[in-house]
mmCIF file of all heavy atoms in Angstrom:
data_model
loop_
_atom_site.group_PDB
_atom_site.id
_atom_site.type_symbol
_atom_site.label_atom_id
_atom_site.label_comp_id
_atom_site.label_asym_id
_atom_site.label_seq_id
_atom_site.Cartn_x
_atom_site.Cartn_y
_atom_site.Cartn_z
ATOM 1 N N LYS A 200 -23.461 6.592 -6.418
ATOM 2 C CA LYS A 200 -24.832 6.066 -6.504
ATOM 3 C C LYS A 200 -24.999 4.823 -5.653
ATOM 4 O O LYS A 200 -26.068 4.543 -5.146
ATOM 5 C CB LYS A 200 -25.143 5.721 -7.968
ATOM 6 C CG LYS A 200 -25.216 6.968 -8.832
ATOM 7 C CD LYS A 200 -25.623 6.604 -10.261
ATOM 8 C CE LYS A 200 -25.263 7.746 -11.193
ATOM 9 N NZ LYS A 200 -24.548 7.294 -12.373
ATOM 10 N N ARG A 220 -1.335 -5.187 -14.012
ATOM 11 C CA ARG A 220 -1.149 -5.826 -15.327
ATOM 12 C C ARG A 220 -0.949 -4.749 -16.403
ATOM 13 O O ARG A 220 -0.105 -4.885 -17.280
ATOM 14 C CB ARG A 220 -2.370 -6.661 -15.693
ATOM 15 C CG ARG A 220 -2.437 -7.933 -14.891
ATOM 16 C CD ARG A 220 -3.607 -8.743 -15.365
ATOM 17 N NE ARG A 220 -3.691 -10.000 -14.662
ATOM 18 C CZ ARG A 220 -4.731 -10.803 -14.724
ATOM 19 N NH1 ARG A 220 -5.782 -10.482 -15.450
ATOM 20 N NH2 ARG A 220 -4.735 -11.943 -14.068
ATOM 21 N N PHE A 248 -6.453 -4.003 10.468
ATOM 22 C CA PHE A 248 -7.212 -3.820 9.234
ATOM 23 C C PHE A 248 -8.707 -4.068 9.435
ATOM 24 O O PHE A 248 -9.116 -5.130 9.906
ATOM 25 C CB PHE A 248 -6.671 -4.796 8.171
ATOM 26 C CG PHE A 248 -7.455 -4.777 6.904
ATOM 27 C CD1 PHE A 248 -7.236 -3.796 5.959
ATOM 28 C CD2 PHE A 248 -8.440 -5.717 6.668
ATOM 29 C CE1 PHE A 248 -7.967 -3.755 4.792
ATOM 30 C CE2 PHE A 248 -9.181 -5.687 5.515
ATOM 31 C CZ PHE A 248 -8.941 -4.708 4.577
#
Side-chain angles (χ1 to χ4, degrees):
K200 292 184 198 131
R220 286 184 178 169
F248 175 81

